[in-house]
Amino acid sequence: MKLPNLEKAKIRNEKEVEYIDATIKKDVSLFRGKKYFLKTYGCQMNVHDSELIKNLLEGIGFLESDKMEGSDIVVLNTCAIRENAHDKVFGFLGRAKHEKSINPNLIICICGCMAQEPSVCEEILSCHKLPNLLMNKINKTDIEVESIEGNVVENLEYIRDSKISAWVNIMYGCDKFCTYCIVPYTRGKQRSRKSEKILEEVEKLKRENYKEITLLGQNVNAYGKDLEGELSFAELLEKVSDIGIERVRFVTSHPWDFTDELIDVIASKPNVMPYIHLPLQSGSSRILKLMGRRYTKEEYIKLYDKIKKKIPAASISTDIIVGFPGESEEDFRETLEVVDYCKYDSAFTFIFSPRVGTPAERLKDGTTLKEKEERLKRLNELVNKYSLLANQKYEGKIEDVLIIGPSEKGADLVCGYTETMKLVNVLGATSRVGEIVKVKITEAKSFSLNGEAIL
Ligand code: SAH
Ligand code: SF4
Ligand code: F3S
């Protein structure tokens, strides 16, 4: 069996990206009556990939089951971004292994980013002896399996989780090589989809009455840079916006490629939502340099100011890593300073997790885990303070909320999102799932709002 190779995954060559059409023959009689259980970890890209996996499996006859017990195949779509993502998958594999001892025919399929890591494959093979049976089975039944590495596969079909909001890949992979990050290895080199294919997909979603789409990529504002004569991300966003779906979002944008032109498109197009996820990672220019982020604290703040000036209603969220190797108390304090300045609407915060094969794995790290946990706690306190403050500004206001489904908070409630991506639990709109409803905000919490439909 051939294991993936991190050294090879690192190489970026001039080899042309192949654009190929999906060649999946569907035949539901192949596995009719068989059941699959699919578990997804990681980012939106994995969530969207799972929609593809569902289509592949259901196209050959499998039906989805909501539990592993009694299933014929368990598919784990994995994430490798931090050690705890690993741990969760291995924890689940333990359960799957137990299930296999009861049902020896159970097929366990591991895909996604962890499956691209040689160390993980070795660990799984040696500890769990889980051969990749699914691939063999699929090959035997005359379905072509393409390795997507280095390619862009077009005309893919998905079984989308939502009829209201859809994901649209605009690019695959990442070439930024931030020194802590495993993604450029697991997802391969940056490959933009051709804009006409993206626009075709968005037009189809419009015809299918989707109310919202989110353009997806690890680094969406680098869109098109790998294709000669292709649109820039700002141009693509403008064209997507013109198709006229009510809400257009995108994730994730890197501060480095964030052009004025892009800010102008967001500011001028009412259906491009004023919500920007702008990962900071660290507030210390010294650490940012070690991270390979290509911007300084000052440049980040300048960009932030520009966005806030041109799009005053914009909500801005971020990602922050604490305890990067060599981060001093002073560096950390600079991060707190930037948080104080930007007063983020929300922030995802992480303790640095060394990833095998990345440059940061080899950096000297004098900070203890205890210190890092303490920094994370301080950071989270600050972040939560600003989340609550940002939410409190909504109290008494009337917001457009796209209702997406039932709320966990009560049977008479539904939930949805404001244009700025605030989660709202809404009273008086149970019959209006899929609509954009005017909602009066009655109460703000740190991570959600409460409101009442008024129209
Ligand atoms: N492409 C996105 C990030 C995707 S990963 C971007 O560049 O912003 C999501 C987040 O996970 C990152 O923003 C970073 O904050 C965090 N992350 C990535 N690698 C990490 C690591 N090794 N340890 C801790 N956090 C990490
Ligand atoms: Fe990772 Fe950096 Fe690429 Fe984001 S931009 S996926 S953090 S390498
Ligand atoms: Fe995880 Fe891979 Fe996404 S590592 S965050 S699933 S790109």
Side-chain angles (χ1 to χ4, degrees):
M1 170 166 183
K2 231 174 95 202
L3 290 177
N5 181 321
L6 275 183
E7 281 306 309
K8 271 203 193 142
K10 195 161 70 184
I11 296 168
R12 293 292 184 267
N13 53 33
E14 291 301 310
K15 214 180 97 206
E16 285 267 322
V17 170
E18 253 190 277
Y19 288 79
I20 46 184
D21 274 340
T23 49
I24 298 150
K25 284 184 212 154
K26 288 195 175 172
D27 182 353
V28 290
S29 67
L30 288 172
F31 291 90
R32 199 191 300 279
K34 300 276 184 202
K35 283 185 275 181
Y36 73 94
F37 175 77
L38 169 64
K39 193 154 173 64
T40 309
Y41 300 87
C43 63
Q44 291 96 336
M45 265 141 278
N46 259 16
V47 172
H48 187 38
D49 286 350
S50 282
E51 296 180 329
L52 177 67
I53 294 169
K54 281 186 185 183
N55 180 271
L56 292 173
L57 290 173
E58 295 187 20
I60 52 173
F62 282 98
L63 287 178
E64 186 169 15
S65 165
D66 58 2
K67 52 184 190 307
M68 183 163 59
E69 294 73 23
S71 296
D72 301 283
I73 172 167
V74 171
V75 183
L76 301 181
N77 194 6
T78 62
C79 169
I81 200 84
R82 285 169 293 272
E83 199 53 38
N84 56 1
H86 267 163
D87 294 346
K88 277 193 218 154
V89 172
F90 276 109
F92 199 86
L93 263 178
R95 270 185 64 198
K97 198 181 153 202
H98 172 74
E99 195 55 28
K100 197 168 167 65
S101 68
I102 302 167
N103 169 16
N105 291 328
L106 179 69
I107 299 168
I108 299 167
C109 173
I110 297 151
C111 52
C113 288
M114 268 174 76
Q116 301 299 319
E117 290 183 295
S119 56
V120 168
C121 289
E122 265 160 26
E123 199 175 343
I124 291 171
L125 288 173
S126 60
C127 311
H128 302 272
K129 301 247 184 294
L130 298 176
N132 200 343
L133 279 173
L134 180 73
M135 286 306 181
N136 295 338
K137 275 207 169 179
I138 285 183
N139 281 333
K140 266 188 220 142
T141 50
D142 196 28
I143 285 186
E144 200 174 316
V145 178
E146 299 274 6
S147 156
I148 59 155
E149 195 190 343
N151 292 339
V152 172
V153 185
E154 284 300 348
N155 301 326
L156 291 169
E157 289 173 24
Y158 300 91
I159 294 182
R160 297 183 187 267
D161 294 334
S162 164
K163 298 264 171 284
I164 303 163
S165 182
W167 307 110
V168 176
N169 279 325
I170 64 166
M171 66 199 304
Y172 303 97
C174 181
D175 283 348
K176 280 283 183 289
F177 286 100
C178 303
T179 58
Y180 51 81
C181 185
I182 193 77
V183 172
Y185 308 83
T186 60
R187 294 266 162 168
K189 77 169 170 184
Q190 173 173 323
R191 286 110 59 213
S192 297
R193 284 178 72 194
K194 302 244 168 83
S195 53
E196 69 254 27
K197 292 287 183 187
I198 299 169
L199 296 169
E200 259 171 38
E201 185 177 344
V202 176
E203 271 157 13
K204 185 160 174 268
L205 291 165
K206 162 91 179 150
R207 288 196 297 276
E208 291 169 2
N209 226 355
Y210 274 87
K211 294 287 184 301
E212 178 177 79
I213 56 154
T214 304
L215 305 179
L216 274 186
Q218 284 298 352
N219 195 356
V220 285
N221 39 356
Y223 171 80
K225 293 193 166 182
D226 52 314
L227 286 179
E228 228 176 88
E230 190 45 278
L231 302 178
S232 69
F233 179 60
E235 290 163 338
L236 176 73
L237 188 60
E238 189 165 19
K239 284 202 169 7
V240 166
S241 148
D242 289 341
I243 292 173
I245 289 187
E246 276 90 337
R247 291 184 166 194
V248 177
R249 300 185 183 279
F250 56 89
V251 76
T252 296
S253 43
H254 189 296
W256 194 69
D257 292 311
F258 217 105
T259 59
D260 289 357
E261 201 193 352
L262 176 57
I263 301 177
D264 290 340
V265 172
I266 305 167
S268 65
K269 294 283 178 184
N271 65 341
V272 176
M273 293 296 103
Y275 164 69
I276 298 163
H277 186 60
L278 197 65
L280 168 70
Q281 311 302 2
S282 167
S284 151
S285 296
R286 191 180 74 82
I287 296 294
L288 284 169
K289 188 150 194 232
L290 289 173
M291 287 177 162
R293 286 294 287 183
R294 309 174 188 209
Y295 53 85
T296 61
K297 171 190 183 183
E298 290 73 25
E299 282 162 344
Y300 182 94
I301 287 180
K302 213 167 131 197
L303 173 63
Y304 174 91
D305 285 342
K306 232 190 307 189
I307 293 173
K308 279 285 183 184
K309 193 164 160 240
K310 289 202 171 163
I311 320 166
S315 73
I316 298 184
S317 62
T318 200
D319 291 346
I320 297 169
I321 299 175
V322 301
F324 187 84
E327 182 190 73
S328 65
E329 176 61 26
E330 184 45 39
D331 292 315
F332 175 64
R333 248 187 295 188
E334 286 197 71
T335 298
L336 296 181
E337 239 176 71
V338 178
V339 173
D340 268 323
Y341 186 86
C342 296
K343 304 183 172 48
Y344 293 107
D345 284 81
S346 63
F348 300 96
T349 57
F350 313 101
I351 290 181
F352 168 74
S353 172
R355 309 317 299 137
V356 174
T358 61
E361 184 206 6
R362 296 186 292 272
L363 292 177
K364 259 221 168 74
D365 189 359
T367 321
T368 63
L369 182 62
K370 199 161 164 280
E371 281 172 290
K372 294 185 184 192
E373 285 169 345
E374 191 257 342
R375 280 180 197 168
L376 183 70
K377 191 162 162 276
R378 280 159 66 199
L379 174 64
N380 284 341
E381 276 164 11
L382 196 62
V383 158
N384 293 345
K385 179 181 110 180
Y386 288 119
S387 295
L388 181 61
L389 276 175
N391 282 354
Q392 281 168 342
K393 293 201 182 118
Y394 286 73
E395 280 181 339
K397 284 202 180 153
I398 292 164
E399 289 291 316
D400 283 338
V401 177
L402 173 58
I403 308 290
I404 54 160
S407 160
E408 288 172 358
K409 304 284 175 192
D412 53 344
L413 297 173
V414 282
C415 69
Y417 289 91
T418 63
E419 296 201 332
T420 51
M421 203 70 183
K422 303 280 179 193
L423 175 64
V424 194
N425 292 301
V426 183
L427 193 67
T430 41
S431 61
R432 302 182 64 188
V433 173
E435 288 178 43
I436 294 172
V437 172
K438 294 258 181 242
V439 174
K440 178 154 188 172
I441 306 301
T442 50
E443 192 191 356
K445 309 205 168 156
S446 286
F447 306 111
S448 65
L449 303 169
N450 293 335
E452 286 167 21
I454 56 162
L455 248 141

